[in-house]
Coordinates of all heavy atoms in Angstrom, one line a residue:
Q18 N 2.2 4.8 9.1 CA 3.2 4.6 8.0 C 3.0 3.2 7.5 O 3.1 3.1 6.2 CB 4.6 4.8 8.5 CG 4.8 6.2 9.0 CD 6.2 6.4 9.5 OE1 6.8 5.4 10.1 NE2 6.7 7.6 9.5
H19 N 2.7 2.2 8.2 CA 2.7 0.9 7.8 C 1.4 0.7 6.9 O 1.5 0.2 5.7 CB 2.3 -0.1 9.0 CG 2.1 -1.4 8.6 ND1 1.0 -2.1 8.3 CD2 3.1 -2.4 8.4 CE1 1.1 -3.2 8.1 NE2 2.4 -3.7 8.0
Q20 N 0.4 1.3 7.1 CA -0.8 1.4 6.3 C -0.5 2.1 5.0 O -1.1 1.6 3.9 CB -2.1 2.0 7.1 CG -3.3 2.0 6.1 CD -3.9 0.5 6.0 OE1 -3.4 -0.4 6.8 NE2 -4.5 0.2 5.0
A21 N 0.1 3.1 5.1 CA 0.5 3.9 3.8 C 1.5 3.2 3.0 O 1.3 3.2 1.7 CB 1.1 5.3 4.2
L22 N 2.4 2.4 3.6 CA 3.3 1.6 2.8 C 2.6 0.5 2.0 O 2.7 0.1 1.0 CB 4.4 0.9 3.7 CG 5.6 1.8 4.0 CD1 6.4 1.2 5.0 CD2 6.3 2.1 2.8
A23 N 1.6 -0.1 2.9 CA 0.9 -1.4 2.3 C -0.1 -1.0 1.2 O -0.4 -1.7 0.2 CB -0.1 -2.0 3.5
T24 N -0.7 0.3 1.2 CA -1.7 0.8 0.2 C -0.9 1.4 -0.9 O -1.6 1.8 -1.8 CB -2.6 1.6 0.8 OG1 -2.0 2.8 1.4 CG2 -3.6 0.8 1.9
G25 N 0.4 1.6 -0.7 CA 1.1 2.2 -2.0 C 1.2 3.7 -2.0 O 1.6 4.3 -3.0
R26 N 0.8 4.3 -0.8 CA 1.0 5.8 -0.7 C 2.4 6.3 -0.4 O 2.8 7.3 -0.6 CB 0.0 6.4 0.3 CG -1.4 6.2 -0.1 CD -2.6 7.0 0.9 NE -2.1 6.7 2.3 CZ -2.8 6.1 3.1 NH1 -3.8 5.6 2.7 NH2 -2.5 6.1 4.5
L27 N 3.2 5.4 0.3 CA 4.5 5.7 0.6 C 5.3 4.6 0.1 O 4.8 3.5 -0.2 CB 4.7 5.7 2.2 CG 4.3 6.9 2.9 CD1 4.6 6.6 4.5 CD2 5.0 8.2 2.5
A28 N 6.6 4.8 -0.1 CA 7.7 3.9 -0.6 C 8.9 4.0 0.2 O 9.2 5.0 0.8 CB 7.9 4.1 -2.0
I29 N 9.7 2.9 0.1 CA 11.0 3.0 0.8 C 12.1 3.0 -0.4 O 11.9 2.3 -1.4 CB 11.2 1.7 1.7 CG1 10.2 1.6 2.7 CG2 12.7 1.7 2.3 CD1 10.2 0.3 3.5
V30 N 13.0 4.0 -0.2 CA 14.1 4.1 -1.2 C 15.4 4.1 -0.4 O 15.4 4.5 0.8 CB 14.0 5.3 -2.1 CG1 12.8 5.3 -2.9 CG2 14.0 6.6 -1.2
R31 N 16.5 3.6 -1.1 CA 17.7 3.5 -0.5 C 18.6 4.8 -0.9 O 18.8 5.1 -2.0 CB 18.6 2.2 -1.0 CG 19.9 2.1 -0.3 CD 20.5 0.8 -0.8 NE 20.4 0.5 -2.2 CZ 19.7 -0.6 -2.6 NH1 19.2 -1.5 -2.0 NH2 19.7 -0.7 -3.9
G32 N 19.1 5.5 0.1 CA 19.9 6.7 -0.2 C 21.4 6.4 0.3 O 21.7 5.4 0.6
K33 N 22.1 7.5 0.3 CA 23.6 7.4 0.6 C 23.7 7.2 2.1 O 24.5 6.4 2.5 CB 24.3 8.6 0.2 CG 24.5 8.9 -1.2 CD 25.1 10.2 -1.6 CE 25.2 10.5 -3.0 NZ 25.9 11.7 -3.3
A34 N 22.8 7.7 2.9 CA 23.0 7.6 4.3 C 22.1 6.5 5.0 O 22.2 6.3 6.1 CB 22.6 8.9 5.0
G35 N 21.3 5.7 4.2 CA 20.4 4.8 4.6 C 19.2 4.7 3.8 O 19.1 4.9 2.6
Y36 N 18.0 4.5 4.4 CA 16.8 4.2 3.8 C 15.9 5.3 4.3 O 15.8 5.9 5.3 CB 16.1 2.9 4.3 CG 17.0 1.8 3.7 CD1 17.9 1.1 4.5 CD2 16.7 1.2 2.4 CE1 18.7 0.2 4.0 CE2 17.4 0.0 2.1 CZ 18.4 -0.5 2.8 OH 19.1 -1.5 2.4
E37 N 14.9 5.7 3.3 CA 14.1 6.8 3.6 C 12.6 6.4 3.1 O 12.5 5.7 2.2 CB 14.5 8.2 2.7 CG 15.9 8.7 3.1 CD 15.8 9.4 4.5 OE1 14.7 10.0 5.0 OE2 16.7 9.5 5.1
L38 N 11.6 7.1 3.7 CA 10.3 6.9 3.2 C 9.9 8.1 2.5 O 10.2 9.3 2.9 CB 9.4 7.0 4.6 CG 9.3 5.7 5.3 CD1 8.5 5.8 6.6 CD2 8.8 4.5 4.6
V39 N 9.3 7.9 1.3 CA 9.0 9.0 0.5 C 7.7 8.8 -0.1 O 7.2 7.5 -0.2 CB 10.0 9.1 -0.8 CG1 11.5 9.5 -0.2 CG2 10.0 7.9 -1.6
P40 N 6.9 9.8 -0.6 CA 5.6 9.6 -1.3 C 5.7 8.7 -2.5 O 6.9 8.7 -3.3 CB 5.2 11.0 -1.6 CG 5.9 11.8 -0.6 CD 7.2 11.3 -0.6
A41 N 4.8 8.0 -2.9 CA 4.8 7.2 -4.1 C 5.0 7.9 -5.3 O 5.8 7.3 -6.2 CB 3.5 6.4 -4.3
A42 N 4.6 9.1 -5.5 CA 5.0 9.9 -6.7 C 6.4 10.1 -6.9 O 7.0 10.1 -8.0 CB 4.1 11.2 -6.8
V43 N 7.1 10.5 -5.8 CA 8.5 10.8 -5.6 C 9.3 9.4 -6.0 O 10.3 9.4 -6.8 CB 9.0 11.3 -4.3 CG1 10.5 11.4 -4.3 CG2 8.3 12.7 -4.1
A44 N 8.8 8.4 -5.5 CA 9.5 7.1 -5.9 C 9.3 6.7 -7.2 O 10.2 6.1 -7.8 CB 8.9 6.0 -4.8
A45 N 8.2 7.0 -7.9 CA 8.0 6.8 -9.3 C 9.0 7.5 -10.0 O 9.6 7.0 -11.1 CB 6.7 7.0 -9.7
K46 N 9.2 8.8 -9.7 CA 10.3 9.6 -10.5 C 11.7 9.1 -10.3 O 12.4 9.0 -11.2 CB 10.1 11.0 -10.0 CG 8.9 11.7 -10.3 CD 9.0 12.2 -11.8 CE 7.8 13.1 -12.1 NZ 7.8 13.4 -13.5
I47 N 12.0 8.6 -9.0 CA 13.3 8.0 -8.7 C 13.5 6.8 -9.5 O 14.6 6.5 -10.0 CB 13.4 7.7 -7.2 CG1 13.5 9.2 -6.4 CG2 14.7 7.0 -6.9 CD1 13.4 9.0 -4.9
S48 N 12.4 6.0 -9.6 CA 12.4 4.6 -10.4 C 12.8 5.0 -11.8 O 13.3 4.0 -12.4 CB 11.2 4.0 -10.1 OG 11.2 2.7 -10.9
E49 N 12.3 6.0 -12.4 CA 12.6 6.3 -13.8 C 14.0 6.5 -14.0 O 14.6 6.0 -15.0 CB 11.9 7.6 -14.2 CG 10.4 7.4 -14.3 CD 9.6 8.8 -14.6 OE1 10.4 9.7 -14.9 OE2 8.4 8.7 -14.7
R50 N 14.8 7.0 -13.0 CA 16.2 7.2 -13.1 C 17.0 5.9 -12.8 O 18.0 5.7 -13.4 CB 16.7 8.5 -12.4 CG 16.1 9.8 -12.8 CD 16.7 10.8 -11.9 NE 16.7 12.0 -12.7 CZ 17.4 13.1 -12.3 NH1 18.3 13.0 -11.4 NH2 17.3 14.3 -13.1
D51 N 16.6 5.4 -11.6 CA 17.4 4.1 -11.2 C 16.2 3.4 -10.4 O 16.2 3.5 -9.2 CB 18.6 4.6 -10.3 CG 19.5 3.4 -9.9 OD1 19.2 2.3 -10.4 OD2 20.3 3.7 -9.2
A52 N 16.0 2.3 -11.1 CA 15.0 1.4 -10.4 C 15.5 0.7 -9.2 O 14.9 0.2 -8.3 CB 14.3 0.5 -11.4
G53 N 16.7 0.4 -9.2 CA 17.4 -0.3 -8.2 C 17.4 0.4 -6.8 O 17.7 -0.3 -5.7
V54 N 17.2 1.5 -6.7 CA 17.3 2.3 -5.5 C 15.8 2.2 -4.8 O 15.8 2.3 -3.6 CB 17.4 3.8 -5.9 CG1 17.3 4.8 -4.6 CG2 18.9 4.1 -6.5
V55 N 14.8 2.0 -5.5 CA 13.5 1.9 -4.8 C 13.4 0.4 -4.2 O 13.5 -0.6 -5.0 CB 12.3 2.0 -5.9 CG1 11.0 1.9 -5.2 CG2 12.5 3.5 -6.4
V56 N 13.3 0.4 -3.0 CA 13.3 -1.0 -2.4 C 11.8 -1.4 -2.2 O 11.6 -2.7 -2.6 CB 13.8 -0.8 -0.8 CG1 13.6 -2.1 0.0 CG2 15.2 -0.3 -0.9
V57 N 10.9 -0.7 -1.7 CA 9.5 -1.1 -1.7 C 8.5 0.0 -2.3 O 8.6 1.1 -2.0 CB 9.0 -1.4 -0.3 CG1 7.5 -1.6 -0.1 CG2 9.9 -2.5 0.3
L58 N 7.7 -0.4 -3.3 CA 6.7 0.5 -3.8 C 5.5 -0.4 -4.2 O 5.5 -1.1 -5.3 CB 7.1 1.2 -5.0 CG 6.2 2.2 -5.8 CD1 5.6 3.2 -4.7 CD2 6.7 2.9 -6.9
N59 N 4.5 -0.5 -3.4 CA 3.3 -1.4 -3.6 C 2.5 -0.7 -4.6 O 2.3 0.6 -4.6 CB 2.7 -1.6 -2.3 CG 3.5 -2.6 -1.3 OD1 4.2 -3.5 -1.8 ND2 3.3 -2.3 -0.1
D60 N 1.8 -1.6 -5.4 CA 0.8 -1.1 -6.4 C -0.6 -0.8 -5.6 O -1.1 -1.7 -5.1 CB 0.6 -2.1 -7.4 CG -0.2 -1.8 -8.6 OD1 -0.4 -0.5 -8.7 OD2 -0.8 -2.5 -9.2
S61 N -0.9 0.5 -5.7 CA -2.2 0.9 -5.0 C -3.3 0.2 -5.7 O -4.4 0.1 -5.0 CB -2.3 2.4 -4.9 OG -2.5 2.9 -6.2
Q62 N -3.3 0.0 -6.9 CA -4.5 -0.7 -7.7 C -4.6 -2.1 -7.2 O -5.8 -2.6 -7.1 CB -4.4 -0.6 -9.2 CG -4.2 0.8 -9.8 CD -5.5 1.7 -9.5 OE1 -6.6 1.1 -9.6 NE2 -5.3 2.9 -9.4
Q63 N -3.6 -2.8 -6.9 CA -3.7 -4.1 -6.5 C -4.3 -4.3 -5.1 O -5.1 -5.2 -4.9 CB -2.3 -4.8 -6.6 CG -2.3 -6.3 -6.0 CD -0.8 -6.7 -6.1 OE1 0.2 -6.0 -6.0 NE2 -0.6 -8.0 -5.9
Q64 N -4.1 -3.3 -4.2 CA -4.6 -3.5 -3.0 C -6.1 -3.2 -2.7 O -6.7 -3.6 -1.9 CB -3.9 -2.4 -2.2 CG -2.4 -2.6 -1.9 CD -2.0 -3.9 -1.2 OE1 -2.7 -4.5 -0.3 NE2 -1.0 -4.5 -1.5
E65 N -6.7 -2.5 -3.7 CA -8.1 -2.2 -3.6 C -8.9 -3.5 -3.7 O -9.9 -3.6 -3.1 CB -8.4 -1.3 -4.9 CG -7.9 0.2 -4.6 CD -8.3 1.0 -5.8 OE1 -9.0 0.6 -6.6 OE2 -7.8 2.3 -5.8
G66 N -8.6 -4.5 -4.5 CA -9.3 -5.8 -4.5 C -9.3 -6.6 -3.4 O -10.2 -7.3 -3.1
V67 N -8.2 -6.3 -2.5 CA -8.1 -7.1 -1.3 C -9.3 -6.9 -0.3 O -9.9 -7.8 0.3 CB -6.8 -6.9 -0.6 CG1 -6.6 -7.7 0.6 CG2 -5.7 -7.4 -1.5
D68 N -9.7 -5.7 -0.3 CA -10.7 -5.2 0.7 C -12.1 -5.8 0.3 O -13.0 -5.8 1.1 CB -10.8 -3.8 0.9 CG -9.4 -3.2 1.6 OD1 -8.9 -3.9 2.2 OD2 -9.1 -2.1 1.3
D69 N -12.3 -6.2 -0.9 CA -13.5 -6.5 -1.5 C -14.0 -8.0 -1.3 O -14.8 -8.6 -2.0 CB -13.6 -6.1 -2.9 CG -13.7 -4.6 -3.1 OD1 -14.2 -3.9 -2.2 OD2 -13.1 -4.1 -4.1
M70 N -13.1 -8.8 -0.7 CA -13.3 -10.2 -0.4 C -14.6 -10.6 0.1 O -15.4 -11.5 -0.4 CB -12.3 -10.8 0.4 CG -11.0 -10.9 -0.1 SD -9.6 -11.6 0.8 CE -10.4 -12.3 2.2
Y71 N -15.2 -9.8 1.0 CA -16.5 -10.2 1.6 C -17.7 -9.3 1.2 O -18.6 -9.1 1.9 CB -16.3 -10.2 3.2 CG -15.4 -11.1 3.6 CD1 -14.0 -10.7 4.1 CD2 -15.6 -12.5 3.7 CE1 -13.1 -11.7 4.4 CE2 -14.8 -13.5 4.1 CZ -13.6 -13.1 4.4 OH -12.6 -13.9 4.9
S72 N -17.5 -8.6 0.0 CA -18.5 -7.5 -0.3 C -19.7 -8.2 -0.7 O -20.9 -7.6 -0.8 CB -18.0 -6.7 -1.5 OG -17.7 -7.5 -2.6
D73 N -19.7 -9.5 -1.1 CA -20.9 -10.3 -1.4 C -21.7 -10.7 -0.3 O -22.9 -11.3 -0.6 CB -20.5 -11.5 -2.4 CG -19.9 -10.9 -3.7 OD1 -20.3 -9.9 -4.2 OD2 -19.1 -11.8 -4.3
Y74 N -21.2 -10.6 0.8 CA -21.9 -11.2 2.0 C -22.6 -9.9 2.9 O -21.9 -9.1 3.2 CB -21.0 -12.0 2.9 CG -20.4 -13.1 2.3 CD1 -19.0 -13.0 1.8 CD2 -21.0 -14.3 2.1 CE1 -18.5 -14.1 1.2 CE2 -20.4 -15.4 1.4 CZ -19.2 -15.3 1.1 OH -18.5 -16.3 0.4
K75 N -23.9 -10.1 3.0 CA -24.5 -9.1 3.6 C -24.6 -9.3 5.1 O -24.8 -10.5 5.6 CB -26.0 -9.1 3.2 CG -26.8 -7.9 3.8 CD -28.1 -7.8 3.3 CE -28.9 -6.6 3.9 NZ -30.3 -6.4 3.7
V76 N -24.3 -8.4 6.0 CA -24.2 -8.4 7.5 C -25.7 -8.2 8.0 O -26.1 -7.1 7.6 CB -23.2 -7.6 8.1 CG1 -23.4 -7.8 9.5 CG2 -21.8 -7.9 7.5
P77 N -26.3 -9.0 8.6 CA -27.7 -8.7 9.2 C -27.5 -7.7 10.1 O -26.6 -7.5 10.9 CB -28.0 -10.1 9.7 CG -26.9 -11.0 9.8 CD -25.9 -10.4 9.1
D78 N -28.7 -6.8 10.2 CA -28.7 -5.8 11.2 C -28.9 -6.2 12.5 O -28.5 -5.6 13.5 CB -30.0 -4.8 10.7 CG -29.8 -4.2 9.4 OD1 -28.7 -3.9 9.1 OD2 -30.8 -3.9 8.9
D79 N -29.4 -7.4 12.9 CA -29.6 -7.9 14.3 C -28.6 -8.9 14.6 O -28.8 -9.6 15.5 CB -31.1 -8.5 14.3 CG -31.2 -9.7 13.3 OD1 -30.4 -9.9 12.5 OD2 -32.3 -10.5 13.5
L80 N -27.5 -8.7 14.1 CA -26.3 -9.6 14.5 C -25.9 -9.4 15.9 O -25.6 -8.3 16.3 CB -25.2 -9.4 13.5 CG -23.8 -10.2 13.7 CD1 -24.2 -11.7 13.4 CD2 -22.8 -9.8 12.9
M81 N -25.8 -10.5 16.6 CA -25.4 -10.5 18.0 C -24.2 -11.4 18.2 O -24.0 -12.4 17.8 CB -26.5 -11.0 19.0 CG -27.8 -10.1 18.9 SD -27.6 -8.6 19.5 CE -28.6 -8.6 20.9
W82 N -23.2 -10.8 19.0 CA -22.1 -11.5 19.1 C -22.0 -12.2 20.6 O -22.4 -11.7 21.5 CB -20.8 -10.6 19.0 CG -20.6 -10.2 17.7 CD1 -21.0 -9.1 17.2 CD2 -20.0 -10.9 16.6 NE1 -20.7 -9.0 15.8 CE2 -20.0 -10.0 15.5 CE3 -19.4 -12.1 16.6 CZ2 -19.5 -10.5 14.2 CZ3 -18.8 -12.5 15.4 CH2 -18.9 -11.6 14.2

């Protein structure tokens, strides 16, 4: 769930009885009606660039730790 929240696949919304985890598509629809109800909805496009920080560095095949 943590990974899904971080990558934008899940969102946290505030309901009458507390907080709920919902899919990002559902949170987007809820946000259209009342944006104040959506507590956390991370942008999935923004997260893709984070993993590419070391893509320019080649790892040698004979690397020993």
Side-chain angles (χ1 to χ4, degrees):
Q18 289 176 342
H19 180 268
Q20 185 68 22
L22 280 168
T24 58
R26 293 188 319 247
L27 283 179
I29 300 174
V30 296
R31 184 176 43 241
K33 293 179 183 178
Y36 295 90
E37 297 288 332
L38 289 174
V39 296
V43 173
K46 291 285 188 179
I47 292 171
S48 180
E49 290 175 2
R50 290 185 159 198
D51 185 5
V54 175
V55 179
V56 178
V57 175
L58 177 56
N59 291 323
D60 185 19
S61 61
Q62 299 297 327
Q63 180 183 13
Q64 297 297 328
E65 290 177 7
V67 173
D68 295 335
D69 295 322
M70 288 180 7
Y71 299 105
S72 63
D73 295 335
Y74 300 102
K75 184 175 180 187
V76 177
D78 292 334
D79 59 348
L80 180 65
M81 298 295 246
W82 293 98

